[in-house]
Amino acid sequence: MPRPGGVPRKARGSRARKPPIGLALAGGGPFGAVYEIGALLALQDSLEGLDFNELDVYVGVSAGSFLSAALANGIPVSEIYGLFIEDGEVEGALTPEVFMRPAFAEYLARARSVPPILAKSIVNYVTRPFGRGALESFAALGRAIPTGIFDNDTIHRYLQAVFTRPGRTDDFRQLSRKLYLVATDLDTGESVSFGRPGHDHVPISKAVQASAALPGLFPPVEIDGHHFVDGALKKTLHASEALDDGARLVICVNPIVPYDASLATEKGRGRHSRLVEGGLPVVLSQTFRAIIHSRMATGLSKYRTQYRGADVILFEPDADDSEIFFTNIFGYATRQRLCEHAYARTRRDLLKRRSTLEPILARHGIRMKVDVLEDPDRRLSMRLGRPANRSPAPWRLPGAAADLRETLVDLRRWIARDPPAA
């Protein structure tokens, strides 16, 4: 029987005798969510004994908070695919307009503040022309700059509608599974885990809005008199939220990794041998990725000593994956292709790391479906019963050729029964 307004409890009984398992999903904008959906579908297809709707604890940060909240609400990954990826082809789809509606209310509020700020700045400059320069006198006008470009309240309203449908809930306290969505308190710089006691009264949809409020793109979200921004400002994954609750296995997915241009060029798939050739956007993207990934690696290394006996498995793109790096982090037009790409790469990663992962997963009652992983014809579009993607654009053909060369190498190894590297 489901709890009033909540999700069914049947999953809890089916996992009662198994060690607790958690899922931690990092951020990365809408693109990050698309990558994570492809990775989760690959893991679900390739691992027996793992159901992403029947885990014990879910942790979401930024874009990962969307998926964690949906999974904890019992929404299957395949249904999430329809909402996120299919561009309005299914009822209730998460269209670009949900993310990219201009923050008109924020613009108007800031515009109203310009006259008094400007008047005060003029007075300061006129009365103290030599005590303050023009730049210092008018610096206060910076307060009139909007704190975000896009309106994230549309995200809250969309998710509120999704989570209040029959069999789902927008209330952390009515979930039959633990869900933690992490945001950063703007005024203190501290992480806040919505779903923990004291913060579990906040609607799940509102917590997602706060966790995904990337500074500059979305305005801070006010909750109980505090303003919150993206949870990734402090940590990338926050997998410790699941480990603190006793999870013995935490599966982590991180879509943001720094790009190795030299390695990509060496494999014949690089677009730039030097990233500076890509201009400011590429330089900023690499900087952001390097900072995020370095911080995550530090956190993962600490988990090994702080949580002895627990296993943490991370899935993320390859460092030389130009397809991932050169895709607009807020891009939508190619999301079906990118999801298929993430699906294929995650399956390949599982097979490559088989000797290492198989015994770890076995300890938690999970078995790798080797026959599925070794199926060269398996595609996400076929698995979901969707039509295959269109042919790649001409400028993507070099990358496709490199993928083909890599696949042929793997095929030769398989024919020679040369085991894949761990």
Side-chain angles (χ1 to χ4, degrees):
M1 292 288 294
R3 303 175 70 181
V7 296
R9 282 189 174 278
K10 63 179 181 179
R12 301 296 290 176
S14 65
R15 286 203 42 81
R17 292 184 297 275
K18 292 184 179 181
I21 297 178
L23 175 70
L25 300 177
F31 156 75
V34 169
Y35 180 90
E36 288 172 338
I37 291 168
L40 291 173
L41 285 167
L43 294 172
Q44 185 168 280
D45 286 355
S46 308
L47 301 176
E48 184 179 316
L50 180 70
D51 187 330
F52 283 116
N53 292 120
E54 296 188 0
L55 303 183
D56 299 275
V57 55
Y58 299 83
V59 182
V61 182
S62 192
S65 64
F66 286 85
L67 308 185
S68 295
L71 292 170
N73 249 297
I75 302 176
V77 187
S78 57
E79 187 174 333
I80 297 173
Y81 176 94
L83 294 175
F84 263 84
I85 309 298
E86 297 197 321
D87 197 15
E89 295 176 20
V90 298
E91 184 181 358
L94 190 63
T95 60
E97 289 74 20
V98 175
F99 287 105
M100 295 187 169
R101 179 182 176 182
F104 292 118
E106 171 71 4
Y107 300 164
L108 181 59
R110 297 290 166 170
R112 286 172 176 167
S113 71
V114 171
I117 294 175
L118 180 60
K120 187 175 180 180
S121 297
I122 293 173
V123 170
N124 286 337
Y125 180 65
V126 171
T127 57
R128 299 180 61 189
F130 300 106
R132 294 187 179 188
L135 187 61
E136 184 179 357
S137 297
F138 290 92
L141 285 171
R143 297 202 300 269
I145 299 175
T147 57
I149 299 173
F150 303 115
D151 181 7
N152 51 3
D153 194 54
T154 58
I155 296 172
H156 167 226
R157 293 196 299 271
Y158 170 85
L159 292 176
Q160 187 178 50
V162 170
F163 294 154
T164 52
R165 292 177 183 173
R168 302 173 188 171
T169 180
D170 199 27
D171 190 331
F172 285 98
R173 297 164 296 188
Q174 292 184 354
L175 284 172
S176 60
R177 304 165 185 88
K178 296 178 181 178
L179 170 66
Y180 303 120
L181 305 177
V182 185
T184 304
D185 189 317
L186 182 63
D187 293 318
T188 66
E190 295 300 316
S191 296
V192 172
S193 182
F194 292 104
R196 294 280 181 193
H199 297 287
D200 55 356
H201 66 285
V202 176
I204 295 172
S205 55
K206 196 70 175 179
V208 172
Q209 179 190 2
S211 180
L214 185 63
L217 288 174
F218 299 110
V221 177
E222 185 175 1
I223 299 175
D224 295 338
H226 294 258
H227 288 87
F228 294 93
V229 293
D230 198 304
L233 265 64
K234 290 284 287 186
K235 292 182 183 178
T236 304
L237 275 167
H238 289 273
S240 57
E241 293 287 338
L243 294 166
D244 286 340
D245 270 18
R248 308 312 292 164
L249 169 66
V250 180
I251 296 173
C252 306
V253 183
N254 169 51
I256 304 299
V257 299
Y259 180 61
D260 190 333
S262 299
L263 181 60
T265 301
E266 190 177 303
K267 290 187 176 181
R269 61 171 60 184
R271 192 181 302 182
H272 300 294
S273 58
R274 297 179 180 179
L275 290 184
V276 71
E277 298 169 1
L280 180 61
V282 169
V283 172
L284 290 177
S285 177
Q286 179 74 331
T287 302
F288 169 75
R289 289 166 180 267
I291 292 172
I292 290 291
H293 198 266
S294 172
R295 191 171 55 192
M296 184 193 66
T298 301
L300 290 176
S301 65
K302 291 180 179 179
Y303 294 158
R304 299 187 186 99
T305 56
Q306 292 178 351
Y307 304 95
R308 295 186 182 278
D311 296 308
V312 179
I313 301 177
L314 174 67
F315 295 94
E316 59 185 5
D318 295 329
D320 63 328
D321 196 333
S322 57
E323 181 81 356
I324 297 298
F325 182 77
F326 287 103
T327 296
N328 182 350
I329 199 168
F330 275 83
Y332 287 90
T334 58
R335 56 193 185 277
Q336 283 186 323
R337 178 179 50 75
L338 284 172
C339 198
E340 183 83 59
H341 180 80
Y343 179 83
R345 288 306 174 101
T346 303
R347 292 180 68 248
R348 181 182 298 178
D349 186 29
L350 277 168
L351 194 56
K352 183 178 180 181
R353 298 162 63 189
R354 176 186 172 186
S355 62
T356 301
L357 295 181
E358 217 164 18
I360 296 175
L361 294 169
R363 289 200 293 268
H364 303 276
I366 301 171
R367 183 185 70 84
M368 294 181 72
K369 300 177 184 178
V370 180
D371 56 332
V372 172
L373 289 171
E374 290 182 339
D375 181 359
D377 298 321
R378 194 172 186 86
R379 298 289 183 273
L380 177 56
S381 55
M382 296 168 57
R383 184 258 193 217
L384 295 171
R386 307 311 201 257
N389 290 335
R390 295 188 297 271
S391 301
W395 62 268
R396 296 197 181 276
L397 289 178
D403 285 345
L404 177 60
R405 285 197 298 272
E406 198 168 306
T407 301
L408 291 174
V409 170
D410 290 341
L411 179 61
R412 285 198 295 271
R413 287 178 178 171
W414 182 79
I415 293 173
R417 294 298 190 272
D418 183 14

